[in-house]
Amino acid sequence: MKKLMILGGSRYIIPVIDTAHKLGLHVITCDYLPDNHAHKYSDEYCNVSVIDKDAVLDAARRFRIDGIISFACDPGVVSAAYTAEKMSLPFQGSYESVRILQDKGKFRKFLADNGFNTPKAKRYTRSEIESVKNDSEYFTWPVIVKPVDSAGSKGVTRVDSPDELYDAAKKALSSSLCGAFIVEDFLTFKGYQSSTDPFTVDGELKFMPYSDQLFDSNATNPFAPAMIIWPSTMKDEHQKFLTDEIQRLMKLLNMKSGIYNIEARVSSNDKPYIMEISPRGGGNKIAELEDIAYGANLIENEIRKAVNMPLIPIEPHEISGHWCEMVIHANISKPEIFKRMTIDDDIMSRYVKLISLGVKDGDIINPFTGANAALGNMFLRFDSREELDSIMSKISDWLRIEIYVEIPLWGGANSLNHLRSSVHDDYLYDGRAAA
């Protein structure tokens, strides 16, 4: 029986584990959190930090694996590429190519050196943080400051004034695994950013959809995706330009076969930009929705690629209707206790195709700072974009999240047994795109 090692343990990889089992594979999940949800579904668990590439390699050799992926787990991608290269296992690209893709500073330099559209950017290490104060004239304001190696919009800040730059840099460093951050010109959207999972076979793009990614301007982190919609409203000419440029990039980096999570946008200057490319499945169940909406077989093919099984021909059909992947979250300012979520019966029967809720009654929920603070995900299908926009603009009319509110007891004590529920419609995101 072939063995597949999956780095990470979030609920987003459960469909990957299920598919691997259907293919007759033995699944080993790895991270340093033994209580993570996905470990309950794998055949074995390995307690190892996914960012320690040598420890991952040692574990992979010990388990004698036949393939490795880091699905929906951005921190583990470099370790997966390193292990695959050392063990001569299939992966999307070489260790060096993956390092370029996974480091936002190195990626921006690669784009600039090879004539791609890219914002002006500069990379700093922890020891160089003081010099950021002297570089304000280098950038076109506002700027965006972010760690070079984190996902889920953690540590990201839009900065409108040079006076705020240093504090934003410290925030970015606090979320960086390697101790580096990037400052780059902020690109104002024209329409919506696209976040999607394509697939290559021997370096050739075989599936390249585009989406509309929306943000919640009222969330604790306004740069954390709150909703993704397919198909995209991006102009066909911009989609073609981006597809050609992404294909050129794949050739330059000598990429092979596999899934990717790619973010792209058209700026107010009418130029399309490749923002990020990561050789992994995206979070928020993107690949799972694309499998349903397009018949793309992304998850199965990523597994097949990893263990050197023949791929299923990638022949996606035209998308039927308009699909929305909704990131369920509560706009709260402090941790609260979740009670339940309810949805209007008519919405449930007409539009909802899948609900994946990651919390249960009594769980602590946190302010929405990124995908790891989401309550769950919901897939909805509509006949038209107008219908989708109308329904999704009125979420608080049909979806309610209930939380517990503590009541002080005599003597000043509080207890979970003395809690009442309270409905907070204003905790739901409004679905507006970030500027």
Side-chain angles (χ1 to χ4, degrees):
M1 180 182 292
K2 289 191 174 185
K3 295 181 180 180
L4 174 68
M5 178 174 280
I6 305 177
L7 301 187
S10 75
R11 60 187 177 86
Y12 295 122
I13 67 172
I14 294 173
V16 183
I17 297 171
D18 290 343
T19 303
H21 282 157
K22 289 175 183 177
L23 291 172
L25 303 181
H26 181 91
V27 179
I28 304 149
T29 51
C30 301
D31 64 15
Y32 70 102
L33 298 170
D35 293 330
N36 253 347
H37 198 60
H39 304 318
K40 302 172 186 176
Y41 298 84
S42 63
D43 299 294
E44 290 187 79
Y45 165 68
C46 176
N47 191 318
V48 61
S49 170
V50 300
I51 65 172
D52 187 338
K53 66 183 191 298
D54 289 310
V56 170
L57 175 61
D58 287 344
R61 284 173 169 161
R62 187 169 67 253
F63 281 100
R64 298 181 180 179
I65 66 168
D66 299 282
I68 184 169
I69 61 176
S70 186
F71 200 97
C73 177
D74 206 60
V77 172
V78 171
S79 294
Y82 178 78
T83 297
E85 187 164 289
K86 292 291 186 181
M87 295 183 67
S88 299
L89 301 174
F91 204 75
Q92 282 87 327
S94 69
Y95 172 60
E96 285 304 317
S97 291
V98 170
R99 285 184 66 202
I100 291 172
L101 293 177
Q102 289 301 112
D103 186 302
K104 294 176 176 64
K106 293 178 180 178
F107 185 52
R108 288 287 178 267
K109 185 177 186 304
F110 172 85
L111 293 175
D113 290 346
N114 288 280
F116 291 88
N117 290 340
T118 187
K120 185 186 295 184
K122 192 167 182 179
R123 186 184 191 275
Y124 301 85
T125 62
R126 190 181 304 277
S127 63
E128 297 168 330
I129 186 173
E130 294 296 330
S131 64
V132 76
K133 299 176 182 178
N134 304 318
D135 289 343
S136 60
E137 294 184 2
Y138 177 77
F139 302 103
T140 302
W141 293 80
V143 298
I144 196 91
V145 183
K146 48 193 172 184
V148 300
D149 57 352
S150 74
S153 302
K154 294 184 287 292
V156 178
T157 307
R158 169 177 162 157
V159 179
D160 295 294
S161 166
D163 295 340
E164 304 166 355
L165 188 56
Y166 187 75
D167 287 341
K170 289 195 294 184
K171 178 181 176 182
L173 281 174
S174 69
S175 296
S176 173
L177 300 173
C178 71
F181 66 95
I182 185 175
V183 180
E184 65 183 28
D185 292 354
F186 182 82
L187 299 179
T188 304
F189 292 17
K190 185 174 185 179
Y192 303 97
Q193 175 162 290
S194 172
S195 178
T196 192
D197 285 12
F199 202 95
T200 59
V201 177
D202 296 328
E204 297 288 338
L205 283 168
K206 296 297 183 181
F207 177 63
M208 187 63 239
Y210 291 89
S211 70
D212 287 351
Q213 184 183 63
L214 281 69
F215 302 82
D216 178 5
S217 59
N218 296 318
T220 302
N221 182 355
F223 301 106
M227 190 187 301
I228 308 176
I229 298 167
W230 290 263
S232 174
T233 55
M234 187 187 297
K235 290 181 180 179
D236 289 344
E237 62 190 82
H238 290 146
Q239 291 189 33
K240 183 182 185 307
F241 178 90
L242 284 167
T243 299
D244 290 344
E245 287 290 84
I246 292 167
Q247 182 63 78
R248 181 166 74 93
L249 182 146
M250 295 293 179
K251 293 295 185 182
L252 287 170
L253 288 176
N254 195 28
M255 305 304 286
K256 304 300 183 183
S257 299
I259 198 170
Y260 302 80
N261 180 245
I262 297 182
E263 294 188 357
R265 71 178 63 165
V266 178
S267 183
S268 57
N269 61 13
D270 207 41
K271 289 183 178 181
Y273 291 80
I274 303 168
M275 301 306 295
E276 294 185 16
I277 297 182
S278 181
R280 61 174 174 86
N284 289 325
K285 304 175 83 66
I286 292 176
E288 191 175 352
L289 186 144
E290 290 179 354
D291 278 352
I292 295 171
Y294 291 93
N297 293 317
L298 299 174
I299 292 174
E300 181 171 345
N301 271 324
E302 173 65 358
I303 295 167
R304 286 175 170 271
K305 176 272 302 182
V307 295
N308 210 21
M309 293 173 65
L311 300 183
I312 301 171
I314 300 176
E315 299 172 347
H317 55 64
E318 288 292 324
I319 190 170
S320 172
H322 294 256
W323 290 76
C324 176
E325 189 280 315
M326 171 182 165
V327 183
I328 305 167
H329 67 274
N331 281 350
I332 51 181
S333 59
K334 60 182 179 63
E336 301 282 4
I337 302 174
F338 177 81
K339 184 177 183 183
R340 64 172 167 253
M341 181 182 77
T342 59
I343 300 173
D344 179 84
D345 289 342
D346 182 60
I347 298 295
M348 177 68 79
S349 62
R350 293 177 62 188
Y351 304 113
V352 176
K353 300 302 178 184
L354 180 146
I355 296 176
S356 175
L357 200 60
V359 293
K360 62 183 184 301
D361 186 2
D363 283 351
I364 300 294
I365 61 176
N366 293 297
F368 187 54
T369 56
N372 59 336
L375 308 185
N377 303 82
M378 189 185 307
F379 295 173
L380 305 98
R381 183 201 173 277
F382 303 86
D383 289 333
S384 69
R385 181 60 183 261
E386 291 74 21
E387 184 181 36
L388 185 154
D389 289 340
S390 175
I391 297 298
M392 300 309 292
S393 67
K394 302 170 184 174
I395 295 173
S396 60
D397 290 347
W398 53 265
L399 187 151
R400 301 202 306 173
I401 295 172
E402 296 184 39
I403 64 168
Y404 287 102
V405 179
E406 293 184 351
I407 299 176
L409 303 179
W410 294 108
N414 292 291
S415 169
L416 183 59
N417 295 324
H418 294 77
L419 300 176
R420 62 180 175 84
S421 67
S422 176
V423 178
H424 290 258
D425 289 339
D426 59 325
Y427 285 1
L428 304 176
Y429 63 81
D430 59 16
R432 290 179 292 178

XYZ file of all heavy atoms in Angstrom, residues 43-79:
281
model
N -4.546 7.745 8.916
C -4.178 6.431 9.445
C -3.109 6.527 10.526
O -3.067 5.706 11.445
C -3.675 5.542 8.299
C -4.739 5.322 7.235
O -5.752 4.670 7.539
O -4.567 5.833 6.113
N -2.238 7.532 10.381
C -1.188 7.743 11.379
C -0.936 9.234 11.529
O -1.149 10.019 10.596
C 0.115 7.042 10.972
C 0.085 5.541 11.032
C 1.451 4.930 10.769
O 2.287 4.918 11.712
O 1.678 4.484 9.635
N -0.461 9.594 12.710
C -0.094 10.987 12.980
C 1.375 11.051 13.350
O 1.884 10.215 14.110
C -0.940 11.555 14.120
C -0.383 12.839 14.697
C -0.367 14.016 13.939
C 0.148 12.877 15.981
C 0.155 15.187 14.450
C 0.668 14.049 16.511
C 0.671 15.200 15.744
O 1.194 16.358 16.262
N 2.061 12.066 12.806
C 3.467 12.286 13.116
C 3.629 13.677 13.711
O 3.296 14.679 13.066
C 4.312 12.150 11.851
S 6.059 12.521 12.100
N 4.116 13.742 14.933
C 4.304 15.027 15.610
C 5.635 15.628 15.178
O 6.693 15.262 15.692
C 4.265 14.837 17.130
C 4.185 16.170 17.859
O 4.848 17.134 17.501
N 3.352 16.218 18.883
N 5.563 16.540 14.212
C 6.757 17.203 13.701
C 6.356 18.583 13.210
O 5.257 18.778 12.679
C 7.391 16.381 12.552
C 6.444 16.224 11.372
C 8.704 16.979 12.094
N 7.190 19.562 13.412
C 6.905 20.909 12.928
C 7.025 20.933 11.408
O 8.059 20.547 10.850
C 7.876 21.923 13.536
O 7.743 23.177 12.898
N 6.002 21.430 10.725
C 6.014 21.431 9.260
C 7.014 22.433 8.691
O 7.345 22.372 7.504
C 4.611 21.715 8.685
C 3.622 20.645 9.141
C 4.119 23.111 9.046
N 7.522 23.346 9.510
C 8.502 24.317 9.012
C 9.938 23.837 9.202
O 10.875 24.468 8.723
C 8.325 25.696 9.673
C 8.621 25.642 11.166
C 6.930 26.246 9.416
C 8.649 27.008 11.828
N 10.103 22.717 9.893
C 11.442 22.139 10.092
C 11.679 21.126 8.978
O 11.319 19.949 9.091
C 11.519 21.486 11.473
C 12.916 21.002 11.823
O 13.727 20.784 10.891
O 13.200 20.814 13.025
N 12.289 21.564 7.895
C 12.398 20.715 6.702
C 13.213 19.451 6.950
O 12.910 18.384 6.402
C 12.964 21.512 5.520
C 14.397 21.995 5.660
C 14.799 22.837 4.455
C 16.301 23.112 4.424
N 16.749 23.876 5.610
N 14.232 19.541 7.770
C 15.050 18.348 8.037
C 14.304 17.348 8.910
O 14.427 16.135 8.720
C 16.365 18.757 8.699
C 17.296 19.474 7.724
O 17.513 18.937 6.618
O 17.781 20.573 8.048
N 13.499 17.854 9.852
C 12.690 16.960 10.682
C 11.617 16.286 9.838
O 11.322 15.095 10.033
C 12.061 17.736 11.838
N 11.027 17.034 8.903
C 10.024 16.442 8.005
C 10.669 15.368 7.137
O 10.111 14.278 6.945
C 9.369 17.535 7.136
C 8.513 16.908 6.039
C 8.524 18.478 7.995
N 11.866 15.658 6.625
C 12.579 14.673 5.804
C 12.887 13.411 6.609
O 12.692 12.288 6.113
C 13.864 15.287 5.261
C 14.791 14.341 4.471
C 14.081 13.786 3.247
C 16.084 15.067 4.076
N 13.353 13.575 7.822
C 13.655 12.412 8.666
C 12.399 11.563 8.883
O 12.439 10.325 8.804
C 14.215 12.865 10.014
C 15.635 13.395 9.910
O 16.294 13.139 8.874
O 16.082 14.068 10.857
N 11.264 12.241 9.154
C 10.006 11.520 9.375
C 9.568 10.799 8.103
O 9.116 9.645 8.150
C 8.918 12.488 9.846
N 9.702 11.477 6.971
C 9.303 10.876 5.691
C 10.122 9.620 5.396
O 9.592 8.611 4.911
C 9.466 11.900 4.573
N 11.407 9.676 5.684
C 12.260 8.500 5.467
C 11.900 7.378 6.439
O 11.900 6.196 6.074
C 13.724 8.895 5.631
C 14.266 9.678 4.423
C 15.663 10.203 4.671
N 16.278 10.711 3.432
C 17.310 11.526 3.397
N 17.868 11.957 4.536
N 17.802 11.932 2.241
N 11.573 7.758 7.656
C 11.220 6.757 8.659
C 9.926 6.024 8.278
O 9.805 4.809 8.463
C 11.065 7.431 10.026
C 10.865 6.473 11.178
C 10.996 7.174 12.514
N 9.931 8.140 12.762
C 10.083 9.457 12.726
N 11.269 9.986 12.435
N 9.071 10.271 12.985
N 8.966 6.773 7.750
C 7.693 6.183 7.344
C 7.755 5.549 5.951
O 6.805 4.900 5.533
C 6.585 7.245 7.359
C 6.039 7.556 8.713
C 6.452 8.683 9.406
C 5.104 6.714 9.310
C 5.935 8.987 10.656
C 4.580 7.003 10.565
C 5.005 8.147 11.249
N 8.862 5.789 5.242
C 9.030 5.262 3.889
C 7.865 5.669 2.992
O 7.197 4.842 2.371
C 9.180 3.735 3.909
C 10.413 3.273 4.677
C 10.551 1.763 4.652
N 11.740 1.330 5.388
C 12.109 0.064 5.557
N 11.361 -0.903 5.011
N 13.191 -0.248 6.229
N 7.637 6.961 2.913
C 6.486 7.470 2.168
C 6.718 7.367 0.660
O 7.848 7.289 0.187
C 6.183 8.938 2.544
C 7.303 9.875 2.096
C 5.905 9.077 4.033
C 6.965 11.349 2.168
N 5.601 7.383 -0.077
C 5.646 7.371 -1.534
C 5.302 8.730 -2.133
O 5.437 8.921 -3.346
C 4.661 6.332 -2.069
C 5.006 4.934 -1.601
O 5.935 4.339 -2.177
O 4.351 4.441 -0.654
N 4.840 9.664 -1.296
C 4.497 10.990 -1.788
C 4.231 11.940 -0.640
O 3.914 11.504 0.479
N 4.366 13.248 -0.914
C 4.160 14.251 0.128
C 3.512 15.491 -0.478
O 3.831 15.907 -1.589
C 5.493 14.628 0.816
C 5.254 15.600 1.977
C 6.511 15.194 -0.187
C 6.482 15.804 2.864
N 2.539 16.059 0.240
C 1.913 17.325 -0.147
C 1.726 18.174 1.098
O 1.743 17.678 2.228
C 0.556 17.126 -0.859
C -0.448 16.412 0.059
C 0.726 16.362 -2.163
C -1.835 16.285 -0.550
N 1.532 19.462 0.876
C 1.209 20.382 1.968
C -0.056 21.113 1.551
O -0.018 22.243 1.095
C 2.359 21.357 2.211
O 2.115 22.159 3.356
N -1.176 20.438 1.671
C -2.442 20.939 1.144
C -3.078 21.917 2.133
O -3.268 21.599 3.295
C -3.392 19.772 0.881
C -4.505 20.083 -0.080
C -4.400 19.748 -1.418
C -5.646 20.720 0.358
C -5.417 20.035 -2.309
C -6.671 21.013 -0.510
C -6.563 20.672 -1.862
N -3.389 23.128 1.647
C -4.006 24.163 2.488
C -3.148 24.478 3.709
O -3.652 24.897 4.750
C -5.414 23.760 2.917
N -1.857 24.259 3.582
C -0.919 24.507 4.688
C 0.300 25.216 4.115
O 1.278 24.563 3.722
C -0.551 23.187 5.355
S 0.665 23.353 6.692
N 0.234 26.515 4.044
C 1.297 27.287 3.413
C 2.649 27.114 4.098
O 3.674 26.993 3.420
C 0.909 28.771 3.374
C 1.600 29.516 2.250
O 1.400 29.144 1.079
O 2.339 30.480 2.543
N 2.724 27.083 5.445
C 4.045 26.962 6.087
C 4.790 25.687 5.746
O 6.015 25.630 5.864
C 3.711 27.029 7.585
C 2.392 27.715 7.662
C 1.649 27.288 6.437
N 4.065 24.646 5.315
C 4.728 23.376 5.058
C 5.194 23.167 3.634
O 5.849 22.152 3.337
N 4.911 24.102 2.735
C 5.194 23.890 1.315
C 6.686 23.715 1.052
O 7.097 22.818 0.306
C 4.613 25.040 0.470
C 5.075 24.934 -0.977
C 3.094 25.032 0.530
N 7.511 24.553 1.635
C 8.958 24.460 1.403
C 9.502 23.138 1.925
O 10.318 22.479 1.265
C 9.688 25.656 2.050
C 11.198 25.452 2.007
C 9.312 26.953 1.340
N 9.041 22.715 3.097
C 9.491 21.431 3.647
C 9.063 20.270 2.762
O 9.804 19.299 2.581
C 8.934 21.241 5.060
O 9.482 22.188 5.959
